[in-house]
Amino acid sequence: MSYVDDVIEEVIRENPNEPEFHQAVREVLDSLRPVIAENEEKYRRDALLERLVNPERQIKFRVPWIDDNGQAHVNTGYRVQFNSAIGPYKGGLRLHPSVNLGIIKFLGFEQIFKNSLTGLPIGGGKGGSDFDPKGKSDREIMSFCQNFMSELCKYIGADTDVPAGDIGVGAREIGYMFGEYKKIRGMFAGVLTGKGVPFGGSLARTEATGYGLLYITEEMLKCHGTSMEGKTVVVSGAGNVAIYAIEKAQQMGAKVVTCSDSSGWIYDPNGIDVAVLKQIKEVERKRLTEYLKYRPDAQYREGRGVWQIPCDVALPCATQNELTLDDAKQLVANGVYAVAEGANMPSTAQAVDYFLEQGILFLPAKASNAGGVATSALEMSQNSERLHWTFEEVDHKLREIMVDIYHNIDEAAKQYGKEGNYVDGANIAGFLKVMNAMNAQGIV
Ligand code: NDP
């Protein structure tokens, strides 16, 4: 068997019951076959791939917290410090009942290559907890965040590991965690990104993932002789990534007709009203059914279904494996031209293969949603130099980074005979930099 196949088999054997982690590893290693084939014996001797797929460190801890009735609860916290070859570990914290070690490992593994693609000096990590923030009071959220940080603070630092937000973790949660870190450590350090602007946060961080998704999509369309102008767009999700993807798509002249949450979805043929969406999700923290109160002509349907709406561009921005092979077939049958992932691994492996077979322009998450972590790295730079850049400055850098990522992955795909396959292009381009750093640093 080839070295790549040996390592995939070992990952499956050594990490049972972690299907998302297997999926992420298989996708990356499959793309790397031509790179590994160039020097297979050396890489095997150096156990390069084994070192790549095994996190440098995995931390699992108890998080006790007390609800508003005085009842104590215990959740599990995780931080996986995956790879620090090119910089301090960097990656978000996810609070969702579905979180387990396998989910955090899949996200942390993806993060290595995404962070490398940004061109900035950041390694890969990820963390979170199976705590469910839904329906919790503000005080309960604070209690959880403080208890989570009272343990996590032992393992992170501005030059070692800098977490950020992800599903269920926005500015409010980062604020509570930052406050607790500062209290325990007695220092004001850039140990988290996504902070509020008055205490070291970067302007444009909130918008960055969604805006970045549209900057790279626009660049890809431009290189194929078209643009977002006049396109019909279908978006899933109604959180941070989805909201700012919708906003930027509309600024570029597209019409976005859907959004969703875990209960149901909205079809608004006149175009989603993003101000209403922000009011419901960012201010009131309510369910999407509320949308109809403001926009009675829109339709709300229970469950999932955004992918059945005909569109030119599809942007999955909710969660992993939310776009299946059947959804991909429906999108293609309806004439979709481009798909760009805002969420992490939102398309199943079969859906990705189908898009590529059908010649659909497809941008994988590790390239297309890298704008969030790139801007987090810009926040780290601002914290280090104790300066604060303007919105325009950060947004301009973000756009440049996303445009560069597109050209890097396009180039890498061409170099290895995979022209137009941005999945392989992203995996290869992300890997090469990490591999060179790992080789230079010896077997550590
Ligand atoms: P949010 O928590 O702000 O929003 C998540 C959205 O997805 C909500 O609308 C949520 O609905 C929906 N959702 C979550 N889980 C499920 C599920 N199991 N089934 C259906 N819908 C679901 O998270 P973000 O917008 O920050 O993150 C979305 C995706 O983007 C994630 O994959 C994340 O890893 C990725 N990402 C985020 C970045 C960031 O900067 N925030 C950076 C890079 C990637 P509900 O409210 O009902 O749960």
Side-chain angles (χ1 to χ4, degrees):
M1 267 205 312
S2 74
Y3 178 38
V4 165
D5 288 318
D6 282 344
V7 174
I8 292 176
E9 203 180 279
E10 189 181 314
V11 165
I12 294 169
R13 197 175 55 242
E14 299 287 320
N15 302 272
N17 307 317
E18 296 181 357
E20 293 85 2
F21 181 51
H22 303 167
Q23 184 181 341
V25 168
R26 192 192 298 273
E27 186 217 274
V28 171
L29 296 199
D30 271 341
S31 294
L32 299 184
R33 286 178 195 278
V35 183
I36 299 301
E38 288 176 338
N39 215 343
E40 177 157 340
E41 280 323 301
K42 173 181 161 41
Y43 299 147
R44 198 190 274 272
R45 197 175 59 247
D46 290 351
L48 177 75
L49 294 180
E50 288 88 336
R51 287 185 289 129
L52 193 71
V53 299
N54 279 291
E56 290 175 17
R57 197 169 298 103
Q58 308 180 47
I59 301 144
K60 182 176 175 190
F61 51 97
R62 185 181 79 179
V63 188
W65 60 279
I66 299 175
D67 71 20
D68 289 345
N69 298 318
Q71 175 65 52
H73 301 263
V74 176
N75 284 97
T76 305
Y78 302 91
R79 186 72 184 165
V80 172
Q81 298 179 330
F82 223 116
N83 190 300
S84 61
I86 63 170
Y89 310 106
K90 183 94 199 81
L93 299 169
R94 176 175 292 191
L95 299 183
H96 194 272
S98 63
V99 163
N100 56 44
L101 186 60
I103 296 274
I104 299 298
K105 277 162 66 180
F106 118 64
L107 291 163
F109 184 69
E110 292 271 300
Q111 198 80 46
I112 302 169
F113 310 100
K114 179 187 309 192
N115 293 2
S116 166
L117 285 173
T118 65
L120 301 168
I122 38 178
K126 198 82 187 185
S129 170
D130 57 358
F131 172 77
D132 186 358
K134 235 175 254 148
K136 301 290 189 299
S137 71
D138 203 52
R139 207 205 59 80
E140 289 171 332
I141 297 282
M142 182 167 72
S143 169
F144 176 83
C145 289
Q146 290 177 339
N147 282 293
F148 182 78
M149 182 51 84
S150 70
E151 183 61 23
L152 185 70
C153 73
K154 298 170 187 166
Y155 311 103
I156 61 175
D159 294 315
T160 49
D161 184 357
V162 185
D166 190 74
I167 290 179
V169 178
R172 174 180 60 167
E173 292 74 18
I174 292 289
Y176 292 149
M177 291 184 197
F178 183 75
E180 185 69 9
Y181 182 90
K182 187 162 60 70
K183 183 179 172 199
I184 296 175
R185 288 282 188 230
M187 62 164 88
F188 196 106
V191 70
L192 291 162
T193 57
K195 300 184 290 297
V197 173
F199 54 98
S202 175
L203 289 164
R205 174 61 188 92
T206 306
E207 294 83 357
T209 309
Y211 278 22
L213 173 66
L214 268 298
Y215 292 149
I216 191 170
T217 304
E218 179 77 343
E219 186 65 14
M220 174 177 74
L221 294 184
K222 193 175 104 189
C223 292
H224 288 82
T226 181
S227 74
M228 286 299 292
E229 173 91 45
K231 296 280 186 298
T232 299
V233 181
V234 158
V235 169
S236 65
N240 174 263
V241 180
I243 288 173
Y244 292 95
I246 295 171
E247 182 167 278
K248 184 52 76 177
Q250 290 176 341
Q251 286 172 10
M252 290 175 167
K255 189 202 259 187
V256 184
V257 292
T258 65
C259 62
S260 66
D261 63 17
S262 51
S263 313
W265 56 287
I266 291 288
Y267 174 52
D268 189 342
N270 298 318
I272 295 290
D273 186 328
V274 82
V276 165
L277 196 58
K278 285 185 189 176
Q279 175 65 22
I280 296 167
K281 288 295 178 183
E282 294 184 339
V283 181
E284 299 171 16
R285 297 181 188 274
K286 288 198 172 144
R287 310 306 297 161
L288 265 186
T289 39
E290 298 290 311
Y291 189 86
L292 297 185
K293 288 189 188 154
Y294 299 89
R295 303 271 287 188
D297 291 341
Q299 297 165 30
Y300 176 80
R301 292 174 208 166
E302 295 279 323
R304 56 195 298 284
V306 296
W307 312 124
Q308 58 191 253
I309 300 296
C311 64
D312 306 304
V313 177
L315 305 175
C317 297
T319 194
Q320 64 273 1
N321 292 328
E322 53 157 320
L323 197 164
T324 64
L325 177 59
D326 285 345
D327 299 325
K329 287 182 174 166
Q330 179 80 68
L331 282 164
V332 173
N334 286 339
V336 74
Y337 179 71
V339 179
E341 297 186 321
N344 282 314
M345 209 168 75
S347 318
T348 64
Q350 294 80 2
V352 176
D353 289 345
Y354 187 73
F355 286 136
L356 295 177
E357 274 162 36
Q358 297 294 314
I360 306 301
L361 294 179
F362 179 82
L363 281 174
K366 58 175 76 66
S368 50
N369 73 18
V373 73
T375 308
S376 274
L378 299 180
E379 182 172 328
M380 289 166 72
S381 300
Q382 293 169 74
N383 292 167
S384 295
E385 56 179 18
R386 304 217 187 281
L387 286 177
H388 198 60
W389 304 342
T390 63
F391 186 97
E392 289 68 30
E393 232 172 324
V394 180
D395 190 40
H396 179 75
K397 287 186 203 298
L398 168 65
R399 188 192 287 260
E400 277 182 349
I401 290 169
M402 299 312 294
V403 167
D404 283 351
I405 291 176
Y406 173 72
H407 291 285
N408 287 343
I409 66 175
D410 186 42
E411 209 38 58
K414 285 180 183 148
Q415 194 187 332
Y416 282 89
K418 301 287 180 86
E419 181 160 0
N421 184 332
Y422 304 126
V423 174
D424 286 343
N427 288 330
I428 292 171
F431 171 73
L432 289 175
K433 181 174 167 192
V434 175
M435 178 185 76
N436 289 334
M438 286 174 74
N439 282 337
Q441 292 170 25
I443 314 287
V444 289

